[in-house]
Amino acid sequence: MSRDQATPLMQQYREIKARHPHAILFFRMGDFYEMFFEDAETAARVLGLTLTSRNNGGAAEVPLAGVPVKAAGEYVRRLVQQGFRVAICEQVEDPKLAKGIVKREVIETVTPGAAYSDDLLDGTRNNFLCAVRVDGKHLGVAAADLSTGEFRLVRGTRDDANAVLCRLTPREVLVVAGDVASQDTLRGLDVLLTERDAWEFDAGLASDALAQHFRVQSLEGFGIGAEDAMVLGAAGALLRYLRELQPGGVPHLARPTIERPGGTMPLDEMTRRNLELVESMRGGDTAGTLLGVLDRTQTPMGARLLRQWILAPLTEREAIDARLDAVGAWVTETTARTALREALDGVRDVERLSGRTAAGRATPRDVRALGDSLCRLPAVHAALARVHPAGLLVTV
């Protein structure tokens, strides 16, 4: 079907699809999201939908598959879990007021590494989207969890690439197109690989983009210097990609924290599995693992933090002592510990709820859950005040 044979609707579809060629386009038409051409054929095969056809003014009929808007979340979840990207194209004006074709825009692209919905996330672990840059023996990794806003930069050596990525367990990784060295660091990892142009990893462009995003004159306040050019380039590519996926922006993205070699012990995948730190060798669950023994956390935020700590053992004595002193304080103060656990009981996932709220993705139920959780903070503060500051608790 040629462009001049197509109806205005299909011309609009083609224009939007051309801007999102690597995603399955959910094209809003009334109470349904419709998919056409190859997208329809893929969705019919993967989701078990009925494949029909639509005559749109051309000589040939167009393959068509659709899902109800009210049930779209489940279909998106199934596609994303199988490694597909899904672009959500909404009607952005009232059809009753439209003059001619209804205006439509992609408001969000959901990928394995960029999702807000609880259906696509595990509350006990982060959902990192990473950008990786390798240059000789040097490694730069930028990691962002869109659901919580966490933004981390890791500078290391190429030999530690497997350990860094196994610790972050990203669902999707950005690399320079055609960069064999970067792609080799992902060997054996079950991730969605996304290739990007080399210029997107330019450190100079990244510095300007990050400074503008966080409204600062310089990145020095974040501890980022000239020696961090490679990890800075990865951060710039990651930020650009996030903005593409989220046209409304990522206002909840936290200021980046940077990790340099030393301070934590790198654990490759083989070591992590053999020690059964967070996954049992008998399967993917935590039963019988170190995490399974230690995890008595009351909130999803605590569960994610504990998992991160186990996968990145400290190596500096001062930091180890500070953590142990804090643990010792809670062991000693039994009454205060009980009060804190009671105060935290019922606190929902504040990080992800606030992330969805800031991004305009929250439902009324989400906002209510966030409010109820924040109302418990005075009780949390009161329990903390009953413990003598020690180690890490000094900064609380």
Side-chain angles (χ1 to χ4, degrees):
M1 180 173 61
S2 66
R3 181 173 294 276
D4 25 319
Q5 289 178 314
T7 64
L9 177 69
M10 292 309 297
Q11 289 180 11
Q12 182 189 56
Y13 170 84
R14 284 177 175 275
E15 290 170 359
I16 296 174
K17 176 62 181 176
R19 296 195 292 269
H20 302 273
H22 303 300
I24 294 177
L25 184 63
F26 272 37
F27 191 75
R28 179 74 177 266
M29 294 178 63
D31 293 331
F32 283 80
Y33 287 117
E34 304 288 5
M35 290 156 280
F36 300 101
F37 301 106
E38 293 85 356
D39 286 356
E41 294 170 351
T42 299
R45 183 182 71 252
V46 175
L47 302 175
L49 302 176
T50 300
L51 185 65
T52 60
S53 61
R54 177 189 183 100
N55 190 306
N56 286 279
E61 293 186 328
V62 175
L64 166 69
V67 298
V69 170
K70 291 183 178 179
E74 172 62 17
Y75 292 106
V76 172
R77 181 188 66 79
R78 289 167 59 187
L79 285 169
V80 171
Q81 286 186 337
Q82 296 192 53
F84 293 97
R85 301 174 178 86
V86 180
I88 309 297
C89 180
E90 291 287 359
Q91 298 174 169
V92 294
E93 66 176 338
D94 189 336
K96 296 178 182 179
L97 303 177
K99 296 180 180 180
I101 196 74
V102 177
K103 186 177 180 181
R104 294 177 173 86
E105 293 179 359
V106 170
I107 63 164
E108 177 184 15
T109 300
V110 185
T111 78
Y116 285 106
S117 173
D118 286 336
D119 293 338
L120 296 167
L121 301 170
D122 182 344
T124 64
R125 63 175 68 188
N126 286 96
N127 191 64
F128 281 119
L129 168 64
C130 288
V132 174
R133 192 76 169 96
V134 174
D135 183 11
K137 295 182 178 181
H138 303 289
L139 170 75
V141 177
D145 185 339
L146 187 64
S147 67
T148 65
E150 188 173 350
F151 192 16
R152 298 165 64 178
L153 310 181
V154 183
R155 201 183 100 195
T157 66
R158 184 174 178 177
D159 292 340
D160 293 337
N162 183 269
V164 171
L165 293 173
C166 283
R167 169 162 60 94
L168 296 171
T169 58
R171 297 285 307 281
E172 181 178 2
V173 177
L174 312 181
V175 297
V176 174
D179 184 2
V180 177
S182 295
Q183 294 181 17
D184 281 347
T185 65
L186 308 177
R187 196 177 304 279
L189 299 179
D190 183 20
V191 297
L192 174 64
L193 180 66
T194 301
E195 294 189 331
R196 307 290 288 182
D197 292 335
W199 66 266
E200 297 184 31
F201 288 77
D202 180 79
L205 294 176
S207 180
D208 293 340
L210 289 168
Q212 181 180 17
H213 180 81
F214 293 108
R215 300 180 181 179
V216 296
Q217 294 296 320
S218 167
L219 301 180
E220 291 180 0
F222 300 154
I224 299 174
E227 70 278 8
D228 301 313
M230 193 161 55
V231 71
L232 185 59
L238 184 58
L239 180 60
R240 177 179 292 275
Y241 185 60
L242 287 174
R243 285 174 168 171
E244 286 184 12
L245 299 180
Q246 303 291 323
V250 283
H252 64 298
L253 194 65
R255 294 188 172 194
T257 59
I258 186 163
E259 302 175 27
R260 294 186 173 83
T264 61
M265 182 185 301
L267 301 175
D268 59 27
E269 185 177 11
M270 183 71 71
T271 302
R272 185 189 66 178
R273 288 187 178 277
N274 287 341
L275 293 177
E276 294 189 300
L277 297 178
V278 297
E279 293 180 357
S280 170
M281 294 184 68
R282 298 179 297 278
D285 59 12
T286 61
T289 65
L290 180 60
L291 179 63
V293 172
L294 295 179
D295 191 359
R296 296 296 181 269
T297 54
Q298 289 285 88
T299 69
M301 296 83 72
R304 291 194 292 269
L305 180 60
L306 178 61
R307 182 186 178 87
Q308 290 178 24
W309 282 1
I310 290 175
L311 291 177
L314 299 174
T315 57
E316 296 179 354
R317 179 166 181 170
E318 183 177 351
I320 294 171
D321 287 341
R323 186 177 291 178
L324 289 176
D325 289 345
V327 172
W330 285 112
V331 171
T332 303
E333 300 288 347
T334 306
T335 305
R337 185 177 73 247
T338 301
L340 180 61
R341 291 185 66 83
E342 291 176 353
L344 291 173
D345 187 26
V347 172
R348 302 282 296 281
D349 198 332
V350 174
E351 287 181 333
R352 286 180 172 166
L353 288 170
S354 58
R356 286 202 292 268
T357 302
R361 298 282 187 270
T363 65
R365 183 175 296 177
D366 289 335
V367 177
R368 176 60 185 270
L370 178 59
D372 290 344
S373 298
L374 294 179
C375 285
R376 303 189 72 86
L377 290 183
V380 173
H381 184 270
L384 288 170
R386 298 170 63 174
V387 179
H388 180 71
L392 291 177
L393 294 177
V394 173
T395 61
V396 174

